[in-house]
Amino acid sequence: MEQRLAHLRVVLVGTTHPGNIGSAARAMKAMGVTDLVLVAPEKFPHADATALASGADDLLGGARVVDDLAAALADCVWVVGTSARLRTHSVPVLGPDVAAEQALTHAAAGPVALVFGREHSGLTNHELDHCNAFVQIPTVQHFSSLNLAGSVQVMTYALRMAALGAMPQQAPAQEELRDPPATQVELEGLFAHFEQALTTIEVLDPENPRHLMRRLRHLYLRAGLSTSEVRMLRGILTHTERGR
Ligand code: SAH
């Protein structure tokens, strides 16, 4: 059971209130999710975090602090972004249960991250661009923003329920995967290569280069590329750049 949750990571981005970090750690520990990464928290370590962790101080003590989201996600094979508001992205928006099931399936192949945003402003579009899927916890229409730690509780509960129901043979173990899923580092390499090649062949609109790149990111993130597929696409890009 705990082993099935071992590859799940909670990433809190730019948290303002240290108490929320402590409450999130407590929520995670009760559900058996133990990997916590903090991206540029405003105040950490902090007495309020320790106080609200209330017994989950071991998990809090093991939390890694990094400077940016890319560092938190580098080794991840699947990333779910959480948001109180439905954005018009071309990446699927899932409910917590479906997202939890898919997260567990992907976690058989490597680390999977659930990313949570800032208390006041959530995640930026740039941060959401790292995600393979989004989750919106269903709420009433005009009061959709949950407390940060409350959202962590809902999502880790959904993960635990999915893990309880999962059949052991459902997902192949990492060593059985002949073509493992691409990591974020590999995907970022692909996107950088795309941008470079599309600039060389003058396909990128110099007025708005970001628009096409964002659409391409969403297309490839949705596709769930494997390591060898990334290699194949980069091979094509190399030839495209050379013009033959
Ligand atoms: N005003 C912000 C709210 C941030 S709440 C916004 O509109 O995005 C802080 C974080 O809690 C969010 O970034 C998200 O990670 C999580 N969260 C809050 N409500 C949520 C909901 N209904 N579904 C999914 N995540 C939610």
Side-chain angles (χ1 to χ4, degrees):
M1 172 71 195
E2 309 312 336
Q3 216 179 338
R4 273 181 224 154
L5 295 170
H7 272 151
L8 273 304
R9 175 177 305 164
V10 168
V11 177
L12 304 183
V13 180
T15 310
T16 310
H17 300 294
N20 274 335
I21 300 175
S23 298
R26 180 180 182 178
M28 288 170 64
K29 182 164 177 171
M31 295 298 122
V33 176
T34 54
D35 185 9
L36 175 61
V37 177
L38 308 171
V39 178
E42 285 200 10
K43 295 175 204 149
F44 187 80
H46 193 278
D48 289 352
T50 311
L52 279 148
S54 156
D57 14 15
D58 52 340
L59 200 152
L60 202 60
R64 283 185 292 132
V65 179
V66 296
D67 290 337
D68 59 22
L69 184 57
L73 302 179
D75 57 340
C76 288
V77 297
W78 206 60
V79 179
V80 192
T82 58
S83 174
R85 282 171 297 151
L86 199 89
R87 290 175 169 87
T88 51
H89 272 279
S90 40
V91 172
V93 177
L94 310 173
D97 298 1
V98 175
E101 267 177 33
Q102 294 190 8
L104 277 187
T105 303
H106 288 283
V112 166
L114 270 64
V115 185
F116 296 85
R118 299 157 189 82
E119 288 92 333
H120 295 297
S121 53
L123 295 164
T124 63
N125 278 338
H126 186 64
E127 287 159 351
L128 287 166
D129 284 345
H130 285 274
C131 301
N132 298 92
F134 299 138
V135 175
Q136 192 182 20
I137 300 165
T139 60
V140 294
Q141 203 183 348
H142 298 297
F143 197 71
S144 64
S145 180
L146 275 67
N147 165 264
L148 172 60
S151 312
V152 172
Q153 185 74 81
V154 171
M155 289 311 303
T156 51
Y157 171 76
L159 285 171
R160 190 161 189 85
M161 290 305 103
L164 278 173
M167 299 298 287
Q169 69 272 25
Q170 214 173 14
Q174 192 165 15
E175 53 273 18
E176 291 168 22
L177 288 173
R178 262 180 284 136
D179 194 10
T183 64
Q184 283 264 322
V185 164
E186 290 166 338
L187 288 171
E188 289 305 323
L190 172 67
F191 297 140
H193 200 162
F194 251 114
E195 188 160 353
Q196 178 192 309
L198 294 180
T199 305
T200 304
I201 63 170
E202 297 175 8
V203 165
L204 273 188
D205 175 5
E207 297 297 310
N208 192 4
R210 296 279 134 218
H211 182 65
L212 181 61
M213 282 314 302
R214 173 158 283 157
R215 294 197 64 197
L216 276 174
R217 288 182 76 98
H218 291 171
L219 170 65
Y220 284 113
L221 285 169
R222 198 169 64 221
L225 298 177
S226 67
T227 297
S228 75
E229 286 166 339
V230 166
R231 218 178 297 127
M232 173 188 75
L233 286 168
R234 293 196 62 166
I236 294 172
L237 289 172
T238 301
H239 283 278
T240 307
E241 280 177 302
R242 285 190 207 136
R244 63 191 151 78

